[in-house]
Amino acid sequence: MTKKCEVISHTPQLLALLEKAELPSVPGTILLRSNHYLALGCDLRDLKSLEDALKIELDTPRCMFLMIAEVSATYMEVEAADALISCVAQFGDARFCLLEQYLPCGINHPFAQTMMRHFDKLQTPLRSIHRYPQLIDHRHRFINAGWHSVNARSLWDLWSDASFLTSNQRVALNKVEPFDEWEEFGLFASHYFLLVATKGPESTMLNHELYIGRNDLISTHKRIPVSVTSKCQSFTNRLKILHQQNSDRTAGRRYGAAYSVNDRYIGHHGGLGTQSRLSSADTYIQNDSDISIFHAPSSTMSPRMCHTITKFARSSCLLVGGRTSPVCALSDCWLLRNEKWNRVEDLPKPLYRHCSAGVALSNGVQGVVTYGGRTSDGAVSDDWFIWSESTGWRQIQCVGRGLLPCFGACLAPMTTEGGLVIGGMGEDGIVLPRVFKWSLHSTEHPDCVVVESMNNQLETHPVLAQTLCRFGAHLVWSSAGLLLVGGLSNKELLPREYDIIGLGPTNAYTKLEDLAALQVATLSYNPDTPYPLLVGHSITSIQNTIVIVGGGAVCFSFGAYWNEGSLTLRSDSGPLSSLWQLRNAQKASLVPVAKVSANESKGAVPFRDRTDSVMTVAQAAELQSKTEVHTVAEDPASRNQSQIISLYAQIPRIKLDAQNLFARIVGQSMPAILEDLELGHCTKLWTLDYLKTTVGARRSVVVHEALNQNMSFRERNFSYITKPFGKFLDEIRSGGKQYLRSLALDKPADRPASFAIDYPEIGYDFQLPAELVMVDQNAHSSVLRISGPVAMWLHYDVMANVLCQIHGTKKLLLYPPTDILRLEVPPGESSSAINVFDAPLPAMIGTHPHEAILQPGDVLYIPPLWLHTACPIEGVSIAINVFFRNLKSGYAAGRDVYGNRDLQAYEKGRHDIQKIKKSFAGLPPSMGQFYMERLAEELREQAHMHETA
């Protein structure tokens, strides 16, 4: 509260809102006073002092009180928080607004586990959540404390309530920036709730019942929401859910597509990996299988996620669409047959999060039908397309009412010519409560898809709608009947027993007329089976079993959760050796391409993969060191004169002999390692013990504490932890995966770091060499960096900088600005999710990495916009990083604490793009696309002219 008052007193705009504001001359409970605002500081555990202060300042019987606790009361001791809630209820006319976490599906839910570990690691445990885990518990908490009316709902429930947020408002929010993390959003919003309690004359007549959401109804009564026949429950009772752990715990992908064309293996293609989107495919085999050959997707198939792979006929699969970023949907399609992928006709328009199913067309021809999805501009589709080898893609008319545009729906065939569409999400981000029957080749409409709505039945069975209608789920046929697997439901999370439900045996769908006749039944997990997070998962049917692979989510800022291993659903009691497990990828041989273009000659030599299998850069470097390389035009007789070609261009080492030489290096915009410069006594003095003693072991610092050795800003696989400087140094000495990037000692959110000011105890140990006077005269900030065994994420800085290595050795990889489009840096951001130290080689082809190995005393010049990442080679690394302005003008206006805000022209250009896009609104899509692509080409030409100028 003291800090808040200081902000108010030093901010004229805030002071202007207060009438006659003043700070008391004598410090006490009242920290700031005005005619209409009173800042009161006290320990909320000392309720008597709080009550006394309020009674002195206010006529409490005539006041209305509003208490707001925004994720704060949960950190208090539970008894103290309960006492506070009871105390406020005694004020008479009062309202209490509480926002905090809860456990809708219990402590074992993967999101809940990740969230709880995060707060425990920060040493800020959520205390009340253990005593009050459910909304019903919070209702009793407040009622027992004397409150008359209590209403608590999850944020996910409120998101879909039109009285809280209209459909137009949701659409407007979605258009602020491209967004496709709906599962992550739903998981987060389902674990936070908003509670409003009232006490006073107007609320005494209000209904004391609490709307707690249907999840509590389901989990409390533990019953099926519709009548379950013994026949249906018996068919699910026959199914067993078996888990197989992956041997490689680092393997993970979500939003991929699983497929099987025979009984030998399962492929899991594409998706989002731990560092980037993937074009590779994992292979799952049975434990007792001796399969040794698997043909990966073509190397020309771009990385993607949110695509479909649909089996049709007996041994063919069709891959359809997908996306890279949410604004880059894909239209290419690939046919898998005879273990080979071949590209076929593109979709009529790019789509992702569509749904597909295999169907029988006329004359016995097999094909694929696709419905819904999203396009690059965020539009939601309601189009139906059919593909066959003979005709390619063709759009078919949809006959029927009520089938709105959607994405992420379930589409399943019930017969060879029709089936069900369930759930999905509309343009406004709401899971749609709808079920449709669809059919092809009707007598009245021979070249159409006919849909019949069953939604009116859902209105009379709301719990059935809650159970059935999901986003991102899968409908799949098992040997016992139809299964609905995973996904995100509307308003709330479903309990674990509803993650996978059976919808009845095969014969239940021949004449499905009434949804109430659905034979819904749950599946029981073995107690030893890990709790899976069934979002972003993939599923396929093979050998009368269902296999679920992949899946997981980024759990807000708490970290990522990945499903480990595979789940097998089967009705037999076969041996565990027949479970499906991830097979480790085979190493492939690589053939260097000897002819290097002019652009490529500036960087690494590209490689071609003989088998299209995935190999990391590190594996390629190891293999290449043992391989003889020959040029294409080489005389066979001279092949004994081999040479080794490095994967990385080595950054040159330079000795500066004059001050103006560094200015010339800056003008060339190429990195360089500067040798034999005088950095002061730091290179001799700075050991961990010296820093601990001189700076002080008790000084508080904020450090990055990582989950693994490769930090990712996009994945947020690290936490910001405040701890004593001495403890941090001790932990990294012992191998702790931590990293310190110093901040300004005073107002770190507003001011750039200045090493000499922030660390005055050791400030004089370091000096910028005289040869770098240009850096000193144009300095923006100077940063102390101390790193344990962790790698920084790949990113670029807008300002030029020099990295002065003081202690330890460090390896850096740098990429020129021309590689930006190949390194998956989203528009408006400066960080990549790719871990280039261990990235699959096909993903890095066409890039031009430069390598720098820094020893103590080395200074690396990093030009503006060069993407770079770093990690210590061994032990601990200590460095000073000085950022400086190399431009006279053009930097973004306003605050730039870290020196990485994009140039003002770029920020303005991004706003102009949105204006251009809006100017084409109202035109037919094809015309808008035509002109925008012309403008894009003109912009590319201008970029090329700017480069060659």
Side-chain angles (χ1 to χ4, degrees):
M1 182 61 74
T2 301
K3 185 175 181 179
K4 180 182 292 186
C5 292
E6 290 178 356
V7 171
I8 293 174
S9 63
H10 291 90
T11 308
Q13 296 90 333
L14 294 176
L15 277 177
L17 300 175
L18 305 178
E19 186 177 344
K20 297 182 179 180
E22 61 180 19
L23 297 174
S25 57
V26 180
T29 305
I30 305 303
L31 303 179
L32 187 145
R33 183 189 302 275
S34 74
N35 287 357
H36 303 289
Y37 181 85
L38 191 68
L40 185 151
C42 69
D43 187 341
L44 291 179
R45 295 171 297 183
D46 185 359
L47 296 177
K48 186 177 185 306
S49 297
L50 173 64
E51 292 181 51
D52 291 345
L54 290 175
K55 288 178 180 178
I56 292 173
E57 298 294 333
L58 304 173
D59 184 2
T60 54
R62 300 180 59 189
C63 290
M64 175 185 289
F65 290 85
L66 171 62
M67 170 69 74
I68 299 175
E70 183 179 353
V71 194
S72 56
T74 188
Y75 299 119
M76 299 174 65
E77 294 293 341
V78 180
E79 290 74 16
D82 287 348
L84 176 64
I85 292 171
S86 298
C87 176
V88 178
Q90 305 310 311
F91 288 163
D93 196 358
R95 309 288 185 272
F96 202 117
C97 184
L98 178 70
L99 172 67
E100 61 185 45
Q101 305 89 341
Y102 79 118
L103 304 174
C105 293
I107 191 66
N108 294 321
H109 187 277
F111 186 99
Q113 288 183 331
T114 307
M115 177 177 70
M116 299 299 286
R117 280 197 301 265
H118 170 79
F119 287 106
D120 288 343
K121 192 172 185 179
L122 292 177
Q123 299 181 356
T124 56
L126 306 178
R127 302 183 188 277
S128 63
I129 201 170
H130 297 285
R131 187 173 298 180
Y132 308 108
Q134 301 285 333
L135 297 185
I136 187 67
D137 300 317
H138 283 280
R139 180 231 185 194
H140 293 309
R141 180 189 194 185
F142 276 78
I143 292 295
N144 293 338
W147 294 87
H148 291 161
S149 177
V150 185
N151 193 330
R153 298 169 65 182
S154 75
L155 299 189
W156 186 232
D157 183 8
L158 292 172
W159 167 259
S160 57
D161 188 338
S163 64
F164 187 82
L165 204 62
T166 67
S167 178
N168 289 337
Q169 287 174 322
R170 289 191 296 268
V171 171
L173 285 173
N174 190 38
K175 290 182 177 180
V176 171
E177 63 176 327
F179 182 78
D180 192 38
E181 288 75 38
W182 290 105
E183 290 88 347
E184 283 90 345
F185 175 51
L187 287 167
F188 161 77
S190 295
H191 281 82
Y192 281 73
F193 70 93
L194 182 66
L195 178 148
V196 177
T198 58
K199 170 74 178 293
E202 295 182 2
S203 62
T204 55
M205 302 302 294
L206 295 178
N207 190 346
H208 288 188
E209 291 300 316
L210 168 70
Y211 177 77
I212 58 174
R214 299 186 186 94
N215 186 49
D216 290 277
L217 292 175
I218 294 175
S219 59
T220 301
H221 295 296
K222 301 293 183 186
R223 63 181 179 84
I224 308 302
V226 290
S227 60
V228 181
T229 64
S230 59
K231 181 177 180 181
C232 181
Q233 193 65 63
S234 65
F235 104 78
T236 57
N237 287 341
R238 293 199 306 268
L239 288 175
K240 295 179 174 60
I241 304 177
L242 305 172
H243 177 258
Q244 175 66 48
Q245 178 67 51
N246 286 340
S247 58
D248 182 6
R249 295 206 171 199
T250 63
R253 64 177 74 208
R254 57 186 192 267
Y255 305 108
Y259 60 95
S260 60
V261 292
N262 52 47
D263 292 340
R264 294 185 299 155
Y265 67 84
I266 294 170
H268 187 202
H269 172 266
L272 184 64
T274 56
Q275 299 294 333
S276 61
R277 288 178 288 271
L278 305 171
S279 60
S280 61
D282 287 336
T283 311
Y284 289 80
I285 62 172
Q286 289 179 308
N287 292 358
D288 55 4
S289 174
D290 60 355
I291 181 174
S292 58
I293 298 176
F294 169 71
H295 293 281
S298 168
S299 60
T300 59
M301 191 184 296
S302 60
R304 70 192 63 216
M305 58 189 289
C306 302
H307 54 299
T308 60
I309 298 181
T310 306
K311 185 175 181 179
F312 68 100
R314 296 190 60 181
S315 59
S316 301
C317 289
L318 184 70
L319 182 154
V320 179
R323 71 167 176 86
T324 54
S325 71
V327 295
C328 187
L330 302 173
S331 60
D332 56 324
C333 301
W334 299 78
L335 176 65
L336 174 62
R337 178 172 293 159
N338 299 325
E339 307 288 346
K340 294 182 179 179
W341 290 92
N342 292 297
R343 186 165 180 175
V344 294
E345 182 187 13
D346 288 359
L347 266 170
K349 67 178 181 182
L351 290 172
Y352 64 92
R353 285 198 186 264
H354 50 284
C355 48
S356 300
V359 292
L361 305 177
S362 57
N363 301 322
V365 175
Q366 301 292 313
V368 173
V369 62
T370 292
Y371 161 66
R374 297 196 80 171
T375 60
S376 297
D377 61 0
V380 181
S381 173
D382 61 353
D383 293 329
W384 289 77
F385 299 101
I386 282 185
W387 177 90
S388 69
E389 286 189 81
S390 59
T391 63
W393 286 104
R394 57 192 177 93
Q395 184 173 354
I396 56 175
Q397 182 182 357
C398 178
V399 178
R401 294 183 178 181
L403 190 59
L404 301 174
C406 81
F407 61 103
C410 300
L411 181 70
M414 303 302 166
T415 67
T416 57
E417 299 179 353
L420 289 179
V421 176
I422 298 179
M425 182 173 284
E427 182 186 21
D428 62 352
I430 298 299
V431 179
L432 299 172
R434 54 82 177 273
V435 176
F436 282 83
K437 291 194 298 183
W438 61 273
S439 60
L440 301 171
H441 311 315
S442 69
T443 304
E444 297 180 5
H445 306 282
D447 199 26
C448 299
V449 57
V450 179
V451 297
E452 179 183 348
S453 172
M454 308 183 81
N455 298 339
N456 59 331
Q457 299 175 34
L458 292 178
E459 295 175 1
T460 59
H461 298 83
V463 182
L464 176 61
Q466 182 69 26
T467 306
L468 286 181
C469 301
R470 311 181 184 188
F471 171 73
H474 293 270
L475 274 173
V476 61
W477 284 101
S478 71
S479 58
L482 186 64
L483 300 179
L484 179 61
V485 181
L488 184 68
S489 63
N490 195 21
K491 295 182 178 295
E492 58 195 340
L493 292 185
L494 292 170
R496 184 182 185 186
E497 59 266 29
Y498 284 79
D499 271 349
I500 304 175
I501 61 174
L503 299 181
T506 305
N507 57 14
Y509 295 93
T510 53
K511 293 184 179 181
L512 180 61
E513 302 295 339
D514 187 354
L515 284 181
L518 281 180
Q519 302 171 16
V520 179
T522 60
L523 270 71
S524 300
Y525 286 86
N526 186 303
D528 298 330
T529 302
Y531 197 146
L533 187 54
L534 293 182
V535 296
H537 58 291
S538 301
I539 191 167
T540 190
S541 176
I542 187 171
Q543 296 181 6
N544 294 321
T545 64
I546 302 299
V547 181
I548 304 171
V549 295
V554 174
C555 302
F556 190 47
S557 61
F558 311 138
Y561 183 93
W562 299 89
N563 292 330
E564 296 183 348
S566 62
L567 291 176
T568 299
L569 282 65
R570 68 186 188 195
S571 56
D572 62 83
S573 56
L576 293 180
S577 61
S578 63
L579 295 182
W580 295 86
Q581 68 172 354
L582 179 65
R583 189 199 74 174
N584 291 332
Q586 291 183 330
K587 292 184 178 181
S589 58
L590 300 175
V591 180
V593 180
K595 284 190 174 181
V596 183
S597 68
N599 290 332
E600 290 169 338
S601 65
K602 298 177 182 178
V605 178
F607 281 76
R608 184 176 297 141
D609 186 343
R610 282 199 186 111
T611 65
D612 288 333
S613 297
V614 175
M615 176 173 286
T616 67
V617 172
Q619 290 170 339
E622 179 182 359
L623 177 64
Q624 189 183 25
S625 66
K626 306 173 184 177
T627 306
E628 292 185 350
V629 180
H630 312 286
T631 63
V632 173
E634 182 181 23
D635 183 355
S638 63
R639 287 186 178 178
N640 59 341
Q641 299 177 357
S642 61
Q643 57 179 329
I644 301 298
I645 300 178
S646 172
L647 277 172
Y648 308 119
Q650 298 301 307
I651 294 176
R653 289 182 167 270
I654 298 174
K655 293 184 179 181
L656 297 179
D657 55 11
Q659 293 180 0
N660 62 352
L661 178 58
F662 179 70
R664 292 202 299 270
I665 292 174
V666 173
Q668 293 171 355
S669 297
M670 292 294 291
I673 301 174
L674 313 178
E675 295 182 323
D676 297 342
L677 296 177
E678 179 55 53
L679 299 178
H681 300 298
C682 55
T683 54
K684 298 177 181 178
L685 293 177
W686 283 12
T687 64
L688 298 187
D689 290 333
Y690 173 83
L691 294 179
K692 184 176 180 180
T693 301
T694 309
V695 175
R698 295 184 178 181
R699 172 171 173 171
S700 293
V701 292
V702 179
V703 303
H704 301 65
E705 192 166 285
L707 298 176
N708 55 54
Q709 67 181 23
N710 296 301
M711 292 193 298
S712 171
F713 188 76
R714 300 273 298 283
E715 291 284 343
R716 294 297 200 280
N717 62 347
F718 60 88
S719 302
Y720 295 106
I721 307 292
T722 301
K723 61 177 58 179
F725 185 58
K727 182 180 180 182
F728 161 67
L729 295 178
D730 291 341
E731 288 175 348
I732 62 172
R733 191 201 308 266
S734 301
K737 298 178 178 63
Q738 300 178 41
Y739 165 75
L740 167 67
R741 193 267 189 207
S742 68
L743 303 173
L745 186 61
D746 181 39
K747 298 183 179 180
D750 300 322
R751 298 177 180 175
S754 176
F755 167 69
I757 296 174
D758 303 330
Y759 288 84
E761 305 88 351
I762 56 175
Y764 290 103
D765 292 348
F766 170 81
Q767 66 179 34
L768 267 176
E771 294 87 345
L772 303 184
V773 63
M774 175 183 181
V775 176
D776 191 33
Q777 292 175 347
N778 298 279
H780 165 271
S781 57
S782 51
V783 178
L784 172 65
R785 298 184 186 271
I786 305 178
S787 176
V790 291
M792 187 68 171
W793 55 85
L794 184 67
H795 68 285
Y796 68 81
D797 298 303
V798 177
M799 292 191 184
N801 66 94
V802 290
L803 182 65
C804 307
Q805 188 68 17
I806 310 299
H807 173 88
T809 56
K810 179 182 292 184
K811 176 179 178 178
L812 291 96
L813 293 181
L814 292 84
Y815 293 80
T818 52
D819 284 353
I820 185 70
L821 297 181
R822 297 180 179 271
L823 294 173
E824 298 185 12
V825 179
E829 298 183 21
S830 59
S831 299
S832 168
I834 299 177
N835 167 23
V836 294
F837 287 113
D838 197 31
L841 187 61
M844 305 309 296
I845 288 178
T847 63
H848 308 90
H850 291 57
E851 182 183 60
I853 305 296
L854 299 187
Q855 305 291 340
D858 286 343
V859 176
L860 173 65
Y861 167 62
I862 304 176
L865 307 183
W866 275 69
L867 292 99
H868 54 281
T869 179
C871 68
I873 293 177
E874 184 177 359
V876 174
S877 168
I878 305 174
I880 297 290
N881 200 184
V882 184
F883 294 83
F884 65 98
R885 300 175 179 85
N886 67 306
L887 300 177
K888 294 182 179 180
S889 62
Y891 293 107
R895 185 175 58 188
D896 187 7
V897 173
Y898 297 99
N900 61 355
R901 276 191 61 184
D902 282 305
L903 294 181
Q904 188 173 14
Y906 176 72
E907 292 186 350
K908 180 179 182 299
R910 293 195 68 223
H911 285 94
D912 291 342
I913 287 175
Q914 296 303 314
K915 293 179 181 178
I916 293 172
K917 177 184 174 182
K918 290 180 181 178
S919 69
F920 289 104
L923 291 177
S926 59
M927 295 182 69
Q929 181 180 2
F930 172 83
Y931 283 112
M932 283 191 282
E933 287 184 352
R934 292 201 66 191
L935 287 172
E937 181 59 30
E938 186 175 346
L939 188 60
R940 278 190 291 268
E941 291 177 359
Q942 292 294 326
H944 178 71
M945 294 172 61
H946 190 82
E947 178 185 11
T948 57

